[in-house]
């Protein structure tokens, strides 16, 4: 990871606007390796750098997904879920409760806007993000908010399970595509990278 970081800066790609996804991946790799080595503060700093690069590329365009071509929307949305989830998990593990919850809520806000264009993949990510938020809120003793997030996640999972289109009337969602909803209990943020 350190060699990749050094090569990134030696090549000048760290400041190249067309190479920001690559630079983001290198920062993310450096974060993951430092997290695994127990160098928590450095891990979060590199993940912040990766997230800042991502947000500079996206420039809040995901807030208006209808204005984007399908190919561009897919490319911009691809790292969103994993990057924000990692950031929220690591902030939570550090005890940065408010920053972690804010990051998760921002992810949820973006994913809600993407469900109309990206369909079930965005709904599955949204369900997972809501379950993660519910878990965090429950851990911090905010039971009512946790129940609301878990209830919304269950409702979205139901829509995915029955293969309903986002524009369908929920009362008529009876056709199944033969898939089962995947349910799991997320690991605590302190164990998710162990």
């Amino acid at each position: 990871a350190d060699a990749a970081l050094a090569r990134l800066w030696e090549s000048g790609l760290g400041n190249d606007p067309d190479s920001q996804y690559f630079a983001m991946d290198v920062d993310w790799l450096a974060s993951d390796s430092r997290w695994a080595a127990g160098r928590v503060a450095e891990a979060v700093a590199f993940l912040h750098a990766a997230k800042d690069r991502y947000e500079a590329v996206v420039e809040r365009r995901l807030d208006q997904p209808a204005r984007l071509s399908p190919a561009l929307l897919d490319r911009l949305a691809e790292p969103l879920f994993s990057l924000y989830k990692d950031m929220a998990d690591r902030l939570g593990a550090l005890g940065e409760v408010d920053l972690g919850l804010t990051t998760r809520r921002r992810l949820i806000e973006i994913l809600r806007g993407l469900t109309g264009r990206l369909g079930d993949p965005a709904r599955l990510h949204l369900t997972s993000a809501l379950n993660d938020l519910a878990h965090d809120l429950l851990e911090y003793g905010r039971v009512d908010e946790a129940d609301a997030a878990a209830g919304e996640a269950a409702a979205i999972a139901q829509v995915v399970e029955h293969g309903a289109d986002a524009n369908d009337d929920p009362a008529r969602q009876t056709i199944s595509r033969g898939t089962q909803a995947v349910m799991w209990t997320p690991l605590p943020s302190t164990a998710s990278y162990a």
Side-chain angles (χ1 to χ4, degrees):
D2 287 344
L5 278 170
R7 187 70 184 117
L8 175 69
W9 292 109
E10 288 170 7
S11 66
L13 294 176
N15 295 322
D16 179 18
D18 294 330
S19 300
Q20 290 306 292
Y21 263 38
F22 173 68
M24 175 192 69
D25 287 341
V26 172
D27 284 338
W28 204 343
L29 171 66
S31 174
D32 287 348
S33 64
R34 280 158 174 75
W35 187 265
R39 295 164 67 174
V40 177
E42 290 178 47
V44 171
F46 276 108
L47 195 56
H48 266 294
K51 186 172 172 273
D52 288 346
R53 287 183 194 279
Y54 175 71
E55 289 174 349
V57 170
V58 172
E59 296 176 335
R60 299 190 70 90
R61 288 183 282 181
L62 291 180
D63 291 339
Q64 298 177 340
R67 299 179 64 154
L68 303 173
S69 70
L72 179 59
L73 180 60
D74 285 344
R75 182 67 178 132
L76 293 177
E78 185 263 326
L80 171 73
F81 178 74
S82 298
L83 183 61
Y84 276 66
K85 179 179 175 22
D86 281 357
M87 178 61 78
D89 288 348
R90 291 177 187 181
L91 287 170
L94 282 175
E96 295 286 348
V97 176
D98 292 333
L99 286 174
L101 291 176
T102 299
T103 302
R104 266 201 224 289
R105 286 190 167 118
R106 176 66 182 143
L107 172 62
I108 289 166
E109 177 187 338
I110 296 169
L111 287 171
R112 280 183 181 136
L114 296 177
T115 57
R117 289 284 308 275
L118 297 179
D120 284 351
R123 287 186 189 99
L124 290 171
H125 284 316
L126 178 57
T127 300
S128 179
L130 284 163
N131 281 327
D132 288 343
L133 178 64
H135 178 269
D136 288 353
L137 289 167
L138 198 56
E139 191 173 302
Y140 303 130
R142 296 162 69 169
V143 178
D144 292 339
E145 292 173 87
D147 288 345
E152 185 179 350
I156 294 167
Q158 191 73 358
V159 168
V160 172
E161 180 180 351
H162 291 291
D165 190 339
N167 298 322
D168 286 348
D169 178 7
R172 296 184 301 167
Q173 296 172 357
T174 57
I175 299 172
S176 173
R177 294 189 334 212
T179 60
Q180 295 293 323
V182 177
M183 303 301 285
W184 69 92
T185 303
L187 288 172
S189 56
T190 54
S192 61
Y193 290 97

